[in-house]
Amino acid sequence: MDPRELSPLKHFVVAKKKINDVFEQLLGYVQEGSEFVKDTCQNDSLEQIAEKAQLEKIEAYTGKLAVIKEVLARRHMKVAFFGRTSNGKSTVINAMLRDRVLPSGIGHTTNCFLSVEGTDEDKAYLKTEGSEEEKSIKTVNQLAHALHMDESLDAGCLVKVFWPKTKCALLRDDLVLMDSPGTDVTTQLDSWIDKFCLDADVFVLVANSESTLMNTEKHFFHKVNERLSKPNIFILNNRWDASASEPEYMEDVRKQHMDRCVNFLVEELKVVDKEQAPNHIFFVSAKEVLNSRMQRAQGMPETGGALAEGFQDRLKEFQSFERTFEECISQSAVKTKFEQHTIRAKQITESVKGIMDQIHIAAAEKRVASLEERDYLMDRLEFVRNQLNLLIEDIKKKIKIVTEQVEKQVSNAMAEEICRLSVLIDEFHTDFHPSPHVLKIYKSELLNHVEKGMGKNLAFRCSDAVNASVQSSQKDMIECLQPLLPPTVQSQIHMLIPYRKFDLSYDLNCATLCADFQENIEFQFSLGWTALVSRFLGPANAKRALMLIDQNLQLSATTPTGGAVAQAAPPRAPVTQGQCQAVMTQEELMMSMAANLASLTSRTSMSVVIVGGVVWRTIGWRVIALSMSLYGLLYLYERLTWTTKAKERALKKQFVDYATEKLQMIVTFTSSNCSHQVQQEIASTFARLCQQVDITQRELESEISHLTTKIQELEKVQTRSKALRHKATELEKQLENFTSQYLQPQN
């Protein structure tokens, strides 16, 4: 087994790897948390869940952790060797490295700071301060030559020597050894300390055992002690092999050096207590150790050559120094290099964990509030739907009742107006003449008068009551549906459903209804044949009978008592075949006339004959002549009074009879039309109200859908924040384990 595998320096290497792994996880965790908080902040539906300040805070942590991670990757253990010129600092370093890495010996003094660290490459090289150029070196002489030939190097410059790790096991464990010029070559000690010593884990004072500690050496370490809190200082009394020439004084000299060194560490610097101080002071011969180890490396006995007496003791003490130094530097470096970063990592982890807790709590509260709001909206939606269904049935019944009332009201009003149609027609006054052209205009204006008059009268009788009924129904509907609308719509309901006066349209259409009206304003004697027939047979049968008689007279002129009657009757137009088909047959007419005449004969014929005979016998022909004269005078009177006014009155009377019959036919239709108008008006208002309710339902459904999506997103936020919080807990455990394992004193 390689003895370096058991080196205490592995403690630092393992700790460095572990802390780097922790910081790698922590950086990934913070980056994941940053993305999560960023997504939450940018989600408009998740307002006030994550704040912008939280995002900025985590993003700042990401940058800081990236810097710390880079610093940790470059961290290494550093030991600085100081002492006066030619005290053997370079030789001590070479002895520890088990090879001649740095120039040493007669004629070679270190004129600048030299750091030796390992490289994974197979060749050695160096870098000077301010340059990244890699200068290849193969031997110590080449290194010494390179250092002495570079005139730009002075005591305050640093040259980094990179030595292959395959050639030196000590450099495999992230250890940097720094050689320095003698503390007696410059007075710029403060700049040395600031530049090269603040990151050193251990200081080794290489003193010359042939002399005592000098003030220049003490002065330098006093400066170091002022800048650093209790630095780890070892004192090597080099060249102790010289004591072998005077063995009788060796112990006295050793005690003298030990007392002075202990006093310097304990009383002057106060970096260790009196019990620990001897463990920091060693008496060695670096040159002997270097020669011995190089001989062993070449396969020769390490005790070969001219070695002074007591070499084995000095070798063991050097090995004791190396072991104590390695234990000290590994413990010290872990603490100094990783403790503050570990504390910072704990703070960052705790802070990010706190942010995740805040987001989790905020998301939970929002989720509960959203669930309650969604439940309320779902109950509200269910209530609106149920109430709307109930109101639809109720309002349908109300609409039916109102329309039936309107239909009845309009029907009654129209019947009354038909009854007083003669009064309305008597109110019509305009120029009248029996000529066809004037008569046509007169009838047209009469129809307009009836249309407007009846419409006006119906509106006067019905419109106000119907309008009040419609308004009342609309008001009831608004009051019923208003609670189903949101408050903003309720306050604007009268703007959405504006008030307007409802007027019924009474479209009687008299012009079309009475278009086939045919007046008869020719003179007709009240005791004439036509009038008498009409009285006995009725107007319709009389017209048919007269038409049939005219036809018979044209066919035969020998009918008894028909000549006088035919001469008295006005000439009529010949009856066409179509007209004959339109009237009853001759047999039907004769049967009707025979029935009427038989009835008349059976009741009065005998009485008339008897009375006529009595009158003729009693009164005589004079009375008969007088009667005939009166009949003629009556005819003459009626003929003379048949003026244009009389014709107009006759036309109006005929129109009243005709229009009354026609209007009675459309009473049901007109009342139904009015009720339909009312139904449409109320239904239209109800439809607009239902439209607003539908909009409310769609808005509720949209809000419920939005809340459902929001709840799902909040649940995702809760789940993710909870997972990130658990990750923070795991990282805290790892940091605590690292602290307890590497940073806390081991019992």
mmCIF file of all heavy atoms in Angstrom, residues 18-33:
data_model
loop_
_atom_site.group_PDB
_atom_site.id
_atom_site.type_symbol
_atom_site.label_atom_id
_atom_site.label_comp_id
_atom_site.label_asym_id
_atom_site.label_seq_id
_atom_site.Cartn_x
_atom_site.Cartn_y
_atom_site.Cartn_z
ATOM 1 N N LYS A 18 -16.061 16.458 -0.922
ATOM 2 C CA LYS A 18 -17.410 16.401 -0.360
ATOM 3 C C LYS A 18 -18.075 17.774 -0.379
ATOM 4 O O LYS A 18 -19.246 17.902 -0.770
ATOM 5 C CB LYS A 18 -17.361 15.850 1.070
ATOM 6 C CG LYS A 18 -18.739 15.599 1.680
ATOM 7 C CD LYS A 18 -18.670 14.708 2.893
ATOM 8 C CE LYS A 18 -18.280 13.288 2.521
ATOM 9 N NZ LYS A 18 -18.385 12.372 3.676
ATOM 10 N N ILE A 19 -17.341 18.810 0.023
ATOM 11 C CA ILE A 19 -17.952 20.147 0.046
ATOM 12 C C ILE A 19 -18.235 20.640 -1.369
ATOM 13 O O ILE A 19 -19.216 21.339 -1.614
ATOM 14 C CB ILE A 19 -17.068 21.150 0.834
ATOM 15 C CG1 ILE A 19 -17.877 22.413 1.165
ATOM 16 C CG2 ILE A 19 -15.823 21.527 0.047
ATOM 17 C CD1 ILE A 19 -19.015 22.184 2.105
ATOM 18 N N ASN A 20 -17.362 20.237 -2.321
ATOM 19 C CA ASN A 20 -17.632 20.600 -3.718
ATOM 20 C C ASN A 20 -18.894 19.921 -4.219
ATOM 21 O O ASN A 20 -19.692 20.527 -4.944
ATOM 22 C CB ASN A 20 -16.440 20.227 -4.598
ATOM 23 C CG ASN A 20 -15.400 21.333 -4.658
ATOM 24 O OD1 ASN A 20 -15.727 22.488 -4.878
ATOM 25 N ND2 ASN A 20 -14.149 20.983 -4.431
ATOM 26 N N ASP A 21 -19.087 18.650 -3.843
ATOM 27 C CA ASP A 21 -20.313 17.940 -4.237
ATOM 28 C C ASP A 21 -21.551 18.615 -3.635
ATOM 29 O O ASP A 21 -22.575 18.774 -4.310
ATOM 30 C CB ASP A 21 -20.249 16.485 -3.776
ATOM 31 C CG ASP A 21 -19.222 15.686 -4.560
ATOM 32 O OD1 ASP A 21 -18.820 16.153 -5.642
ATOM 33 O OD2 ASP A 21 -18.805 14.616 -4.071
ATOM 34 N N VAL A 22 -21.427 19.017 -2.372
ATOM 35 C CA VAL A 22 -22.558 19.690 -1.721
ATOM 36 C C VAL A 22 -22.880 20.996 -2.423
ATOM 37 O O VAL A 22 -24.053 21.315 -2.683
ATOM 38 C CB VAL A 22 -22.264 19.923 -0.224
ATOM 39 C CG1 VAL A 22 -23.364 20.782 0.403
ATOM 40 C CG2 VAL A 22 -22.154 18.601 0.518
ATOM 41 N N PHE A 23 -21.831 21.770 -2.752
ATOM 42 C CA PHE A 23 -22.070 23.050 -3.423
ATOM 43 C C PHE A 23 -22.588 22.847 -4.844
ATOM 44 O O PHE A 23 -23.357 23.680 -5.342
ATOM 45 C CB PHE A 23 -20.788 23.893 -3.423
ATOM 46 C CG PHE A 23 -20.699 24.822 -2.252
ATOM 47 C CD1 PHE A 23 -20.165 24.400 -1.048
ATOM 48 C CD2 PHE A 23 -21.175 26.114 -2.337
ATOM 49 C CE1 PHE A 23 -20.096 25.253 0.043
ATOM 50 C CE2 PHE A 23 -21.112 26.977 -1.260
ATOM 51 C CZ PHE A 23 -20.571 26.548 -0.064
ATOM 52 N N GLU A 24 -22.179 21.758 -5.489
ATOM 53 C CA GLU A 24 -22.716 21.444 -6.811
ATOM 54 C C GLU A 24 -24.219 21.205 -6.711
ATOM 55 O O GLU A 24 -25.015 21.725 -7.515
ATOM 56 C CB GLU A 24 -22.013 20.208 -7.367
ATOM 57 C CG GLU A 24 -22.464 19.820 -8.768
ATOM 58 C CD GLU A 24 -21.899 20.724 -9.847
ATOM 59 O OE1 GLU A 24 -20.812 21.293 -9.648
ATOM 60 O OE2 GLU A 24 -22.573 20.869 -10.877
ATOM 61 N N GLN A 25 -24.621 20.417 -5.730
ATOM 62 C CA GLN A 25 -26.049 20.163 -5.515
ATOM 63 C C GLN A 25 -26.782 21.436 -5.111
ATOM 64 O O GLN A 25 -27.901 21.695 -5.577
ATOM 65 C CB GLN A 25 -26.226 19.098 -4.427
ATOM 66 C CG GLN A 25 -25.682 17.727 -4.784
ATOM 67 C CD GLN A 25 -25.847 16.738 -3.647
ATOM 68 O OE1 GLN A 25 -26.909 16.660 -3.036
ATOM 69 N NE2 GLN A 25 -24.798 15.989 -3.350
ATOM 70 N N LEU A 26 -26.134 22.221 -4.247
ATOM 71 C CA LEU A 26 -26.772 23.456 -3.778
ATOM 72 C C LEU A 26 -26.968 24.435 -4.917
ATOM 73 O O LEU A 26 -28.025 25.082 -5.022
ATOM 74 C CB LEU A 26 -25.927 24.091 -2.668
ATOM 75 C CG LEU A 26 -26.466 25.390 -2.063
ATOM 76 C CD1 LEU A 26 -27.872 25.184 -1.501
ATOM 77 C CD2 LEU A 26 -25.534 25.902 -0.971
ATOM 78 N N LEU A 27 -25.963 24.549 -5.796
ATOM 79 C CA LEU A 27 -26.097 25.450 -6.940
ATOM 80 C C LEU A 27 -27.229 24.984 -7.853
ATOM 81 O O LEU A 27 -28.055 25.804 -8.306
ATOM 82 C CB LEU A 27 -24.774 25.517 -7.713
ATOM 83 C CG LEU A 27 -24.768 26.408 -8.968
ATOM 84 C CD1 LEU A 27 -25.119 27.847 -8.600
ATOM 85 C CD2 LEU A 27 -23.417 26.352 -9.666
ATOM 86 N N GLY A 28 -27.275 23.669 -8.131
ATOM 87 C CA GLY A 28 -28.377 23.148 -8.947
ATOM 88 C C GLY A 28 -29.728 23.374 -8.294
ATOM 89 O O GLY A 28 -30.713 23.718 -8.959
ATOM 90 N N TYR A 29 -29.766 23.198 -6.976
ATOM 91 C CA TYR A 29 -31.015 23.413 -6.228
ATOM 92 C C TYR A 29 -31.475 24.867 -6.312
ATOM 93 O O TYR A 29 -32.650 25.150 -6.568
ATOM 94 C CB TYR A 29 -30.806 23.003 -4.777
ATOM 95 C CG TYR A 29 -31.887 23.487 -3.833
ATOM 96 C CD1 TYR A 29 -33.163 22.939 -3.860
ATOM 97 C CD2 TYR A 29 -31.639 24.520 -2.927
ATOM 98 C CE1 TYR A 29 -34.157 23.384 -3.015
ATOM 99 C CE2 TYR A 29 -32.628 24.969 -2.073
ATOM 100 C CZ TYR A 29 -33.887 24.399 -2.117
ATOM 101 O OH TYR A 29 -34.871 24.853 -1.281
ATOM 102 N N VAL A 30 -30.526 25.796 -6.112
ATOM 103 C CA VAL A 30 -30.884 27.223 -6.154
ATOM 104 C C VAL A 30 -31.294 27.619 -7.573
ATOM 105 O O VAL A 30 -32.237 28.409 -7.757
ATOM 106 C CB VAL A 30 -29.710 28.082 -5.653
ATOM 107 C CG1 VAL A 30 -30.004 29.565 -5.858
ATOM 108 C CG2 VAL A 30 -29.447 27.807 -4.177
ATOM 109 N N GLN A 31 -30.626 27.072 -8.585
ATOM 110 C CA GLN A 31 -31.019 27.367 -9.968
ATOM 111 C C GLN A 31 -32.425 26.832 -10.254
ATOM 112 O O GLN A 31 -33.230 27.517 -10.897
ATOM 113 C CB GLN A 31 -30.007 26.737 -10.934
ATOM 114 C CG GLN A 31 -28.659 27.447 -10.951
ATOM 115 C CD GLN A 31 -27.631 26.726 -11.805
ATOM 116 O OE1 GLN A 31 -27.784 25.534 -12.098
ATOM 117 N NE2 GLN A 31 -26.586 27.424 -12.202
ATOM 118 N N GLU A 32 -32.708 25.635 -9.771
ATOM 119 C CA GLU A 32 -34.056 25.085 -9.929
ATOM 120 C C GLU A 32 -35.082 25.946 -9.195
ATOM 121 O O GLU A 32 -36.170 26.227 -9.717
ATOM 122 C CB GLU A 32 -34.089 23.653 -9.404
ATOM 123 C CG GLU A 32 -35.432 22.963 -9.600
ATOM 124 C CD GLU A 32 -35.462 21.562 -9.022
ATOM 125 O OE1 GLU A 32 -34.412 21.115 -8.499
ATOM 126 O OE2 GLU A 32 -36.522 20.905 -9.077
ATOM 127 N N GLY A 33 -34.734 26.360 -7.974
ATOM 128 C CA GLY A 33 -35.634 27.247 -7.220
ATOM 129 C C GLY A 33 -35.832 28.573 -7.915
ATOM 130 O O GLY A 33 -36.940 29.132 -7.925
#
